[in-house]
Amino acid sequence: QVRLVESGGGSVQAGGSLRLSCSASGDIYPGACMGWIRQPPGKEREGVAAIDGDGRTNYADSLEGRFTISRDNTKNTLLLQMSDLKPEDTATYYCAASRRVAWAFGGTCPLPLEYNYLGLGTQVTVSS
């Protein structure tokens, strides 16, 4: 059983910053791929970022370097630092975890649209 609990969402004005956290518990291998996805209102889910057990990252091209994903394997915590937020970043953000490590995906953790586990999400609203 795996449980992912997100926190840190909220409302912010354009140009502001937020940091999302995800606390993971249960049968998660510390080196497995983890990441974030988001679902804007009325749209499909999209991959945001992924990270492997050694800290190597993968980001959606659309983010333009504004987001940073990190993890603390000793605390089973995943973070997403979001800066220069835009109204189009408004979405429900979900933490995701895979049962696989990066080499099982060919060397890089893919954006986590099809990972095995998903949290319940945290809402981020960016106003203009």
Side-chain angles (χ1 to χ4, degrees), residues 77-95:
T77 300
L78 181 71
L79 301 173
L80 185 69
Q81 178 68 46
M82 305 185 294
S83 303
D84 190 22
L85 283 161
K86 303 177 180 182
E88 51 264 41
D89 295 317
T90 294
T92 301
Y93 284 72
Y94 299 89
C95 174

Side-chain angles (χ1 to χ4, degrees), residues 4-34:
L4 303 172
V5 180
E6 302 93 339
S7 61
S11 297
V12 64
Q13 289 191 328
S17 299
L18 280 175
R19 189 177 80 162
L20 305 183
S21 296
C22 172
S23 177
S25 60
D27 189 19
I28 289 185
Y29 177 65
C33 294
M34 296 187 72

Side-chain angles (χ1 to χ4, degrees), residues 17-113:
S17 299
L18 280 175
R19 189 177 80 162
L20 305 183
S21 296
C22 172
S23 177
S25 60
D27 189 19
I28 289 185
Y29 177 65
C33 294
M34 296 187 72
W36 295 90
I37 62 174
R38 67 185 182 185
Q39 186 165 19
K43 297 184 179 180
E44 293 186 354
R45 287 178 179 173
E46 55 189 41
V48 174
I51 186 169
D52 70 12
D54 294 321
R56 288 182 290 262
T57 57
N58 182 17
Y59 294 96
D61 293 338
S62 60
L63 295 179
E64 301 174 332
R66 298 180 295 114
F67 291 9
T68 301
I69 188 172
S70 61
R71 67 193 287 172
D72 184 338
N73 292 332
T74 63
K75 298 180 180 179
N76 285 342
T77 300
L78 181 71
L79 301 173
L80 185 69
Q81 178 68 46
M82 305 185 294
S83 303
D84 190 22
L85 283 161
K86 303 177 180 182
E88 51 264 41
D89 295 317
T90 294
T92 301
Y93 284 72
Y94 299 89
C95 174
S98 175
R99 288 195 289 259
R100 302 164 72 180
V101 296
W103 66 259
F105 288 108
T108 301
C109 292
L111 295 179
L113 286 172

